[in-house]
Amino acid sequence: MVRRCSEGSMGPIDEDPRWLAFVPFHEYLLTSFPLIHSTLKLTKVNTYGLLYEWEGTDASLKPLLLAAHQDVVPVDPRTVDEWEHPPFSGYFDGQRIWGRGSSDDKSGLIGIMSSIETLLSTGFKPTRKVVLAFGFDEEVSGLFGARKLGEYMLSNFGEDAFAMIVDEGGGFSEQYGSIFAVPGVAEKGYLDVRVEIGSPGGHSSVPPDHTSIGMLSALLVHYESNPYPISIARGSPVYATLQCQAAHGSDMASSLRKEIIKSVKSDKALKKLRKTVTDDLVLRSLFGTTQAIDLISGGVKTNALPEQAWAVVNHRIATQSSVGEIKRHDTALLEHLATKFNLSYTAFGEEVYTGSGAKYGSLQISDAWGTALEPAPITPMDGEAYKLLSGTIKATFNAHRKFKNSEEIQVAPGIMTGNTGNTDTRYYWKLTQNIFRYNHHNAGSGRALGNGVHTVNESTDIDAFLEMIRFFTTLILNADESSQL
Ligand SMILES: [Zn+2]
């Protein structure tokens, strides 16, 4: 495993030497997967982005796109001692592979490569073209990697050119007493709102009633007193997850099960369910738009009134909402306080009228870094691509697992949970309607694949990893045989 860190604020590709870490990684791929490199066409997009094309015999079929990312998050130097095996060793102890990236997302990348190298060694020739896209800065927004790969594919393949895309994301685990696989069919959006107050400076021995910091505090308290209301759309992916869990989760409390099932037809039951969801931290984060005040700054010294104070509120936007809706909501939320404190008010570049007369100071809210992201388009949950993926997950699980006979895997569409950022697929929206964030990792137990993601002792269980490779192989074969995609 090659040492490589995704860090904030990377410089341009040809200037920042940290990018050079991918050179030995590419050499590693070249020597480890010789059949791939003698058979597939490789294009390096923006130097380190890897785009492999495996020609199919029938050019009329839309290609299958498999995605993964090469980069990993850094290891905090203060935690190196806590690792059971060195974080960049790739040490295999006979049961687990240890090291940063062993789960997120080298397992995906190497899993895809292993699957294809094996298929090539058996003489398999695809009917449907298979394309691989490996970005290299997913952990820091994918600006150099996936964005460029997306642009390249859009101009070389065109809009809606792919049958489906499968990228990192959901896995399977036990929920409500049953095993569920949850492919991500959507992702929440993102907006960081910077809230900034400006007011006259002066000596603190003659202070006004409210300083910039005091006014900012009032605004922030108002934010927290007004969480986004949760609405439960029957067409939303998370609602579909709940329906599936209610139908198949053996341990689900019968009252909750009834509430979920009844809510399909009864508005009264839907209202009750909304209350249940609102009281549950995880469910409400999945359904709704969240807000978290994550940064604050203001003031210079105790004898000077602060001329400026600011904070940043992080929003993860519900799949049924939009950046515009969040901007309008936050703008309206703070308006009466701007009036109360007699501040001019600018929201996302537009002046908000707060009455005539001279103003004491200013309130400005804005997209903090210009990185707003709309919620992803929702992949159809009743389409052929979804059916093919779902069948592939079941076939992989059933063929190789030795769970007790009654154990079955259920496939429920869902969204990526809050503990991950947005995937590279944000740059692939135009390439197909059918985007799935799923790599069949066992997310369920202490021996599962995804241990230590983004923290110490990241490691991968070898059996879980092999099952992941079987998943990719089955997916390629199923997509190859399907005439429905
Ligand atoms: Zn990842």
Side-chain angles (χ1 to χ4, degrees), residues 69 104-105 138-139 168:
H69 62 87
D104 179 11
D105 181 35
E138 189 273 346
E139 302 287 2
E168 65 169 334

Side-chain angles (χ1 to χ4, degrees), residues 22-268:
F22 291 113
V23 174
F25 181 60
H26 290 183
E27 281 160 12
Y28 166 81
L29 293 178
L30 199 62
T31 52
S32 304
F33 301 100
L35 295 176
I36 288 182
H37 289 90
S38 61
T39 314
L40 277 63
K41 179 181 153 199
L42 169 61
T43 308
K44 294 199 175 180
V45 177
N46 202 19
T47 311
Y48 300 118
L50 298 176
L51 190 90
Y52 291 93
E53 293 175 61
W54 193 8
E55 285 308 327
T57 50
D58 185 347
S60 72
L61 298 174
K62 287 184 175 182
L64 168 69
L65 174 58
L66 302 176
H69 62 87
Q70 306 170 52
D71 58 307
V72 299
V73 293
V75 169
D76 182 341
R78 291 166 301 184
T79 64
V80 170
D81 288 353
E82 294 169 40
W83 285 72
E84 282 186 45
H85 301 284
F88 294 98
S89 62
Y91 179 73
F92 179 51
D93 66 7
Q95 189 56 46
R96 299 189 77 83
I97 302 165
W98 295 82
R100 174 62 79 234
S102 56
S103 182
D104 179 11
D105 181 35
K106 290 289 201 296
S107 54
L109 193 153
I110 300 295
I112 292 167
M113 294 294 273
S114 303
S115 156
I116 293 179
E117 187 77 8
T118 308
L119 284 168
L120 284 167
S121 73
T122 65
F124 175 76
K125 288 191 181 69
T127 312
R128 182 189 300 279
K129 181 170 181 159
V130 180
V131 177
L132 315 179
F134 301 146
F136 56 90
D137 57 347
E138 189 273 346
E139 302 287 2
V140 286
S141 297
L143 287 172
F144 295 102
R147 186 171 61 137
K148 294 289 177 189
L149 282 162
E151 287 167 9
Y152 180 91
M153 288 188 279
L154 197 58
S155 62
N156 283 270
F157 293 87
E159 258 184 56
D160 203 25
F162 289 87
M164 63 196 284
I165 298 176
V166 179
D167 193 5
E168 65 169 334
F172 61 91
S173 62
E174 193 180 319
Q175 294 160 25
Y176 300 108
S178 303
I179 309 280
F180 287 93
V182 184
V185 296
E187 285 182 67
K188 294 178 79 173
Y190 190 102
L191 176 66
D192 279 326
V193 176
R194 181 183 168 100
V195 182
E196 185 170 338
I197 301 267
S199 68
H203 202 280
S204 11
S205 57
V206 196
D209 287 343
H210 304 287
T211 68
S212 292
I213 294 174
M215 289 184 275
L216 179 66
S217 307
L219 297 176
L220 299 180
V221 167
H222 191 60
Y223 254 113
E224 291 208 337
S225 310
N226 292 278
Y228 271 77
I230 305 292
S231 70
I232 298 189
R234 290 191 175 106
S236 69
V238 189
Y239 188 72
T241 317
L242 279 188
Q243 288 302 328
C244 191
Q245 287 168 334
H248 302 288
S250 57
D251 284 358
M252 184 182 273
S254 69
S255 55
L256 178 60
R257 186 195 311 277
K258 275 185 201 147
E259 203 172 289
I260 294 170
I261 292 170
K262 271 189 179 168
S263 74
V264 175
K265 296 221 168 90
S266 154
D267 289 344
K268 204 175 137 201

